Amino acid sequence: MAAGGGGVADPLSPAGVPCAFSPQSQAYFALASTDGHLRVWETANNRLHQEYVPSAHLSGTCTCLAWAPARLQAKETPQRKKRKSEAIGTSNQTDLLALGTAVGSILLYSTVKGELHSKLISGGHDNKVNCIQWHQDNGYLYSCSDDKHIVEWNTQTCKVKCKWKGDNSSVSSLCISPDGKMLLSAGRTIKLWVLETKEIYRHFTGHATPVSSLLFTTIRPPNESQPFDGITGLYFLSGAVHDRLLNVWQVRSENKEKNAVMSFTVTDEPVYIDLTLSENKEEPVKLAVVCKDGQVHLFEHILNGYCKKPLTSNCTIQIATPGKGKKSTPKPIPILAAGFCSDKMSLLLVYGNWFQPTIERVALNSKESHVCLVRDISNCWAPKVETAITKVRTPVMNSEAKVLVPGIPGHQAAIKPALPQTEEIENKRKLGENEVSIEERLGALDIDTRKEKDDLPQTNSFPVLLAQGLESNDFEMLNKVLQTRNLNLIKRTVLRMPLHAVIPLLQELTKRLQGHPNSAVLMVQWLKCVLTVHASYLSTLPDLVPQLGTLYQLMESRVKTFQKLSHLHGKLILLITQVTASEKTKGTTCPAQKAKLVYEEESSEEESDDEIADKDSDENWDEEDEEEKESIKDEDVDEENEEEDEDTEEKDEENGEDRDVASEKELNGDSDLDPENESEEE
Amino acid sequence: MVEQERVRVVRCGGSELNFRRAVFSADSKYIFCVSGDFVKVYSTATEECVHILQGHRNLVTGIQLNPNNHLQLYSCSFDGTIKLWDYVDGILIKTFIVGHKLHALFTVARAEDSVFVTINKEKPDIFQLVSVKLPKSSSQEIESKELSFVLDYINQSPKYIAFGNEGEYVAAVRDFYLSVYFFKKKTTSRFTLSSSRNKKHAKNNFTCVACHPKEDCIATGHKDGKIRLWRNFDDDKKYTYTCLHWHHDMVMDLAFSVTGTSLLSGGRESVLVEWRDAAEKNKEFLPRLGATIEHISVSPAGDLFCTSHSDNKIIVIHRNLEASAVIQGLVKDSNIFTGLMIDPRTKALVLNGKPGHLQFYSLQSDKQLYNLDIVQQEYINDYGLIQIELTKAAFGCYGNWLATVEQRQEKETELELQMKLWMYNKKTQGFVLNTKVNMPHEDHITALCFCNAEKSENPTLVTASKDGHFKVWILTDDSDIYKKAVGWTCDFVVSFEEIVTIWDSETWELKCTFCQRAGKIRHLCFGRLTCSKYLLGATENGILCCWNLLSCALEWSAKLNVRVMEPDLNSENIAAISHSSMGSDLFVFKPSEPRPLYIQKNISREEVQWGVFVPRDVPESFTSEAYQWLNRSQFYFLTKSQSLLTLSTKSPEEKLTPTSKQLLAEESLPTTPFYFILGKHRQQQDEKLNAALENELVQLPLTENIPAISELLHTPAHVLPSASFLCSMFVNSLLLSKESKSAEEIPDDVDMEEEKERDDSDEENDFTEKVQDTDNTDLGEDIIHQLSKSEEKELRKFRKVDYSWITAL
């Protein structure tokens, strides 16, 4: 008796666990694992639908299983037949699952009710059941066993209808012809039986080892000219244990031919075979063969007559783990089963371990001969009880995800002006940009030399440190400077900083503003100072928009509320502070700045012009009363909103300017800001 | 052939499951719930629908097990009938025509031949509880107009009525009072709670009632979250009540466990509370049930509870408060903002699900696949809280990308918007967040669409907003960062109130503008395939326009109040659903010609909100011209009451009941050890019965039964079935051995027992005793005078049993 160990112990039993997709829409996948559990998975969402442990799962493990055709449903009590039935559940529900066991009994399990429906035992097999086939029309069940017999069951009465000896050795596989009138059985040889009379119709040679699978591949004969009797001319496929060839046979009208018509070669013993039936002459048969080595081979072939050479597969599908890190190599994931979907264009793949397989629908559109899918199934190991009940899936939200908030580049792009215009201007400007960089380099030299020379007092060393930090991008140094809370210190530093460092400083500030809000508060003070003190300088820069675009967006998005009020407030503050600042600068002008300006040659024109303009305007504003200044200084305490507003303002205008005609800017040379402010004042 | 191909509207899913309390079968294997015009039978173990009991012509409003035969089920409906079903086979046994609109159904074991229903007679708001006598007759349809009045001025919902202490009294609540009617005394007592307007008592309204199964105790739930336990209510003066208070909001339903030791309550908190021994301190909780608990029911066997929730699901819960199964319909709780979409990957229908989730619903199996948690924030069930809502979602053309928009608006100016872009990770087979965009626009996003040009490998997403901008988001190549640029693809159009603008995707230029003085444009879509030069727009005031994009001219326009317009991805067809006071009509047309291909009037009475074409896996072949548009895709639409409908040519019989062709497999489970014991016993009895009928008087040996009993007693406990099942069997065998003294009585005794067994096992109750029991009456009368009263009573029961098998012998 080959009981107990089930399929594993016997060397000549097919490899792989018994498993099957439910008919029609492949909604379920039933898998009887070697531990005796029957598990039914939902293919659409890869969820364990139910689990059933037969009471005798240890002594009689499941050796084969078959889904009943969809129309066949469990019916419970036998007495009610006379009554007029009004309604019975939905039609396309698949329900009954037949399980053959190692001890010869056959269980019918109802997946709708989740319980054993009936047990076919009396008069059946007394050895391992090798294969079960449902008849597609009348609900009969055919089973074959190691006890050399084939049994025809009537599932309506759960009784044996007929039992006959199928072979001299064990019968390993069965298949019913498409018209339902013939039965193929495979023992030592493959035999075709007439179901009505249980007589042998044809013999075929078969394989050297036990046949593990038999399948009809066509439902119509290749040449339609002859009258079709339901069987003649049809092809069928057989695969066997330890055999890397799948043979195709044709049922011929003459009784002589017993050898295979053609064969398919695969890399290992076939474990699971699925095919799409070809309905006419032109349509090729598609065949998916899962091998013991975990690969799927796909064949596409129009069956037509002999072919001596074994055919190789059109496409091979493999699955592997991604292989984390450099050292670990990707490991193959075995594919357990593969079934064609009803559209014949995609394949359901079942892979992983039989305890918790993953089911995936793969579209078959690639023309490559070898496909390797990389799948990460490491997290599939933990049983997902929680999701099984609530059906909630949580998509991964990891830190790698990019977060875009208003003001961060990418959230909003500057509105681009018409293309041809900008190109011209950019050409012109390229020179200017170069000059700026030269200027910066010179400035850097200058500062370095100066630093070595004199030890300035602390307030004075801040601008130096700042400039140095910006040059070298030294984080520590910048931190030291930028993290001061002393407002006066900030003001003085900004006043004394070299002009060329303004843009780098602003960029640094922008970067920091996007960081933690705590540090952003400090940066806002700096920003406010820089913009008030160096507004005039900034407004002269021709390429301000691309350089400070992000800062502009950042501020714009942050001051959405009370837009007009803050605009007004910002303008006023800008004016007042500039007035006060200019007064102060008159007293203490930074010597360093002047020394630097001497080096400038070309670009000095612009800047000096600005300076002059600046001073001019400053002088104009001198007539301001002192009172007003004070009153607004109080307002100064108001925070960031306003400060940011100034910039908003500023950039608004600049943007507008850019948008209009960029060349105009060059002509105007000086800023729009100052004249406008002036006009407002006056 | 033509006759068969009539297209009809078929309800294909999303039916309501939470309308009334679910009912358990006696063995807790099945659960019944009303669902529209049907009663659905679900298996508690597998969550699968076992049967659909159909036959009612209107909404089913109540179901109850037949107290005299637990394999039968009563149901009542607005169509004025009570139907009796055999739920195991899904067969209608009888129909009782009452005539009134029935609102609720109650059964009481004591009142054997009558049931209680709620009807309203005169005014629309006044309901009465009446008892209906169900006459016995062998015919299928029986008129039962014999109504007797019980209680007046009650609430229509069955939650407000409960029968207590095995039908001794009935308690009904409404507004601020509780009335109890005692059947024996035929008196009503009424208790009123203070309903003053001050704050303390303002929410004293009764919301539900439940009666203790054993004691005289009534539990009532209130609007303020209190539960009151009433005792001594047979006396108008001495009555007392105690308060249990945990719920902070209205108590939605109450239920006592079978033994009455614990009380279950639930409400908006979506926490099931079990009060042990009616004490406030002994509470057990089952939290996080997902949505408001609407109904609670308890299985007669006592091992399972179930809660029906407002999001159209039923949770089956074990006695130890562990959820064991969820029967989930199409989630209906929230508004459908996202519309219907098809996930290109799984071919599932995607729409708003639980709050903050997207639900994936399989149309093939009519089951929810899963809910995708988009918002990922704990949902707080409380009234008046403004939650984050998932407003828009869109799939990239191969399902690789999913874009979702969520919003929360507390006040006019405080709009919180977030757009999330999810990428499908093939390795892990799940969505991974790629980019999160805060405030993508300054105002509500009105439309979200992926560029569906197949050639482009870079996914492009366009969002349009009320702030007057539309933004194009593209995947930047350096890393997984989205960047914004302005521009638009050929295949897309932006419409402002009355103006349609067309933008080119390559150069991001405004191509042309259509202006139609016809009103706000509600829908826009491009023609497909050969009709791609056409653009269709539907306006708010009922005009459907078609523009030719090449000539930039209005091709045609039609007067049609279009509510839904959906293009078919597989063909040139476009479906438009118009709505009028008469109902919704469906028009299918090609943009190239203004004449519709197909018109179906009155597809539903309600307004249709969304529609979608679902490509078929296997193309159908309709030969007639009118239905060819259904060959490649199927059209689904969702009405305002959120029922999902489709068009099908299959007749309803074919679609739902293939009974004629169906092959049924019998159940036979022969070989448990327990069966051998009982089976032997039964076989013996069968033999004896045969012998008895042939008038061969055989002395029943006393000793022969004893081994069977002892065997039964010595069988290990773990192979025994439940004690309740064993009990009757065991007692029967004892009876037999004692009473089989006189030889003449044996046949009758055995006969009786056999029947008893039958009664136990299948509860065959056919009400056709008049015909069949004639051959037994003479025998039966012989015994009656010798038997005790209880036995007499039993015998009377047996008269109802089907004796037809005797003639067969």
Side-chain angles (χ1 to χ4, degrees), chain B residues 685-741:
Chain B
Q685 289 187 343
D686 274 349
E687 282 160 21
K688 279 168 224 153
L689 185 66
N690 289 346
L693 284 168
E694 286 156 25
N695 282 331
E696 290 172 21
L697 303 178
V698 181
Q699 180 73 41
L700 191 73
L702 261 172
T703 46
E704 214 181 294
N705 261 329
I706 292 165
I709 294 162
S710 63
E711 205 174 346
L712 168 71
L713 289 172
H714 293 128
T715 313
H718 65 273
V719 294
L720 285 175
S722 71
S724 63
F725 181 70
L726 265 181
C727 180
S728 61
M729 202 60 79
F730 183 67
V731 170
N732 280 346
S733 57
L734 285 178
L735 269 176
L736 183 74
S737 58
K738 275 176 190 167
E739 289 184 8
S740 58
K741 282 166 193 165

Side-chain angles (χ1 to χ4, degrees), chain A residues 383-580:
Chain A
K384 290 171 273 187
V385 183
E386 188 79 3
T387 51
I389 286 178
T390 59
K391 285 189 177 178
V392 170
R393 274 195 195 177
T394 314
V396 185
M397 270 172 128
N398 50 18
S399 52
E400 284 166 34
K402 171 93 183 166
V403 179
L404 293 181
V405 293
I408 281 188
H411 187 270
Q412 195 173 32
I415 295 163
K416 286 180 187 168
L419 278 173
Q421 284 179 343
T422 43
E423 272 174 65
E424 285 171 30
I425 294 152
E426 270 170 22
N427 287 338
K428 282 182 192 170
R429 284 204 186 142
K430 266 174 190 169
L431 287 168
E433 277 171 29
N434 283 337
E435 282 170 67
V436 170
S437 63
I438 290 166
E439 171 198 323
E440 276 174 356
R441 258 178 252 149
L442 288 169
L445 271 176
D446 177 41
I447 286 160
D448 282 342
T449 48
R450 204 162 39 76
K451 193 196 79 186
E452 284 163 21
K453 279 176 194 167
D454 41 16
D455 253 336
L456 287 167
Q458 226 228 331
T459 47
N460 217 18
S461 74
F462 253 71
V464 178
L465 268 179
L466 180 65
Q468 230 174 341
L470 288 171
E471 293 292 338
S472 58
N473 222 346
D474 189 338
F475 194 69
E476 299 265 313
M477 211 184 281
L478 282 174
N479 263 354
K480 200 176 170 187
V481 178
L482 291 177
Q483 281 178 351
T484 46
R485 285 169 191 276
N486 189 341
L487 267 181
N488 275 326
L489 190 60
I490 292 173
K491 267 184 194 163
R492 262 174 279 160
T493 314
V494 170
L495 266 177
R496 281 167 199 182
M497 68 184 289
L499 270 183
H500 64 86
V502 170
I503 291 288
L505 176 63
L506 280 177
Q507 275 160 353
E508 178 66 29
L509 289 175
T510 318
K511 214 195 296 166
R512 284 169 182 244
L513 268 175
Q514 290 166 1
H516 197 271
N518 279 343
S519 69
V521 170
L522 284 176
M523 294 310 116
V524 162
Q525 295 295 339
W526 278 94
L527 194 63
K528 179 182 167 186
C529 246
V530 171
L531 290 173
T532 46
V533 173
H534 296 287
S536 52
Y537 163 69
L538 287 171
S539 56
T540 59
L541 291 180
D543 51 351
L544 192 67
V545 174
Q547 285 197 22
L548 297 182
T550 52
L551 179 64
Y552 169 61
Q553 277 169 25
L554 186 82
M555 289 186 295
E556 192 189 35
S557 58
R558 290 209 184 170
V559 293
K560 285 258 164 65
T561 46
F562 306 118
Q563 223 160 8
K564 287 197 172 160
L565 180 69
S566 49
H567 274 198
L568 180 68
H569 195 172
K571 275 196 179 176
L572 286 174
I573 286 192
L574 184 65
L575 286 178
I576 303 305
T577 44
Q578 270 185 344
V579 170
T580 49

Side-chain angles (χ1 to χ4, degrees), chain A residues 331-343:
Chain A
K331 282 175 193 157
I333 301 170
I335 298 172
L336 303 173
F340 284 98
C341 298
S342 47
D343 61 354

Side-chain angles (χ1 to χ4, degrees), chain A residues 80 87 112 156 376 393 404, chain B residues 46 86 90 371 427 436 666:
Chain A
R80 312 292 159 83
V112 169
Q156 291 180 48
D376 188 5
R393 274 195 195 177
L404 293 181
Chain B
T46 63
D86 175 345
N371 269 304
K427 283 180 192 170
K436 193 161 81 178
E666 300 295 347

Side-chain angles (χ1 to χ4, degrees), chain B residues 524-585:
Chain B
L524 266 180
C525 70
F526 277 100
R528 302 193 65 87
L529 306 174
T530 60
C531 296
S532 50
K533 62 179 178 181
Y534 296 105
L535 170 72
L536 288 146
T539 64
E540 202 134 77
N541 54 2
I543 292 174
L544 178 70
C545 310
C546 177
W547 291 281
N548 189 333
L549 293 179
L550 298 178
S551 64
C552 291
L554 186 69
E555 197 85 350
W556 53 269
S557 68
K559 185 100 178 132
L560 195 64
N561 186 15
V562 176
R563 283 295 149 116
V564 175
M565 189 158 72
E566 273 294 321
D568 184 359
L569 290 178
N570 287 340
S571 66
E572 295 122 30
N573 303 323
I574 287 173
I577 294 177
S578 74
H579 182 68
S580 63
S581 55
M582 299 290 289
S584 298
D585 304 329

